[in-house]
Amino acid sequence: MARMHDDKIINLNIKRKDFEEVYLQGNQGSLLFSPSVKGKFITTVVVAFILVILFFFKDDLSKEKFGILYFVSFLFLLCAVYLSLAINKVSKWKKEVVKYLKTLENTEIYQIQFNTKVFKVNLNDKKETSLWTEFSAGEISDTFIGLEGKFNYMFPKKSMSEADFELLKVAVQKNVLK
């Protein structure tokens, strides 16, 4: 195991706005236009529009073609169910994000400590420790570094120095994104 003096320590400067910019970028928090809901919403609106048109012309449909109205009604119902499930998922995610962001408002300590084997996060003396091997995925962008595993993390670039961001980036590339 690595010795203590091999540990790298990064102290994060907490500004809620920096975390919000990453979590809520690109309509992520929008119930109808988030990336995971937008397609379902548009599909539901299109099917609803077709159903309304069919409903207005239902008197002109022959008995053989009346089944189309039932089929499109079923399709609309199916779309509405998938849309409501997607909206519910985004709503729950957004509540969790808001709850997490509220915890950051009173944060005095937000520190990342890692070496070649272990990754630790200290948030107001609530410490979480993971082995690098416990992370199943990682993401590095121009604005943040994210890790998924036993614990999930997202560290905005704005919350640390450029040198610390590069140090964390190299560690994630070496240990998670191999």
Side-chain angles (χ1 to χ4, degrees):
M1 188 159 161
R3 296 183 307 267
M4 280 301 268
H5 68 273
D6 293 338
D7 285 3
K8 309 287 189 253
I9 296 174
I10 297 173
N11 290 304
L12 291 141
N13 304 315
I14 304 304
K15 290 183 191 142
R16 180 178 171 153
K17 184 178 79 70
D18 296 341
F19 284 79
E20 283 176 343
E21 283 177 13
V22 175
Y23 276 118
L24 304 176
Q25 73 180 352
N27 290 328
Q28 290 271 97
S30 170
L31 293 181
L32 296 179
F33 298 107
S34 71
S36 61
V37 176
K38 188 177 181 180
K40 293 172 182 73
F41 175 67
I42 291 170
T43 303
T44 304
V45 169
V46 168
V47 172
F49 181 72
I50 293 168
L51 183 60
V52 167
I53 289 172
L54 283 173
F55 195 73
F56 278 124
F57 294 107
K58 72 177 180 197
D59 296 334
D60 297 337
L61 292 174
S62 64
K63 290 208 186 262
E64 298 85 37
K65 295 185 180 174
F66 210 71
I68 293 172
L69 185 64
Y70 291 117
F71 177 72
V72 174
S73 298
F74 173 74
L75 235 107
F76 173 72
L77 184 62
L78 198 62
C79 289
V81 168
Y82 279 116
L83 177 62
S84 67
L85 290 173
I87 289 172
N88 188 36
K89 187 175 179 181
V90 169
S91 177
K92 284 182 180 178
W93 173 83
K94 191 173 179 180
K95 282 179 187 172
E96 288 297 314
V97 167
V98 169
K99 181 179 164 188
Y100 172 68
L101 291 174
K102 282 184 181 179
T103 66
L104 293 179
E105 289 176 354
N106 301 317
T107 299
E108 293 176 24
I109 301 169
Y110 200 162
Q111 186 179 72
I112 304 168
Q113 182 178 354
F114 59 91
N115 56 42
T116 55
K117 300 211 183 302
V118 179
F119 184 87
K120 300 175 188 173
V121 173
N122 179 2
L123 181 59
N124 280 343
D125 289 324
K126 181 183 173 229
K127 297 174 182 168
E128 298 173 340
T129 303
S130 303
L131 297 174
W132 281 109
T133 55
E134 293 176 312
F135 290 108
S136 57
E139 183 178 354
I140 298 172
S141 79
D142 293 337
T143 56
F144 72 94
I145 294 175
L147 291 168
E148 291 180 28
K150 179 170 79 172
F151 302 107
N152 296 328
Y153 302 108
M154 187 282 301
F155 306 111
K157 183 177 186 175
K158 289 182 177 181
S159 293
M160 59 188 94
S161 70
E162 188 70 38
D164 285 344
F165 185 79
E166 287 302 314
L167 182 68
L168 183 58
K169 180 177 163 181
V170 168
V172 170
Q173 287 171 330
K174 188 172 133 187
N175 295 297
V176 180
L177 303 175
K178 311 172 208 175

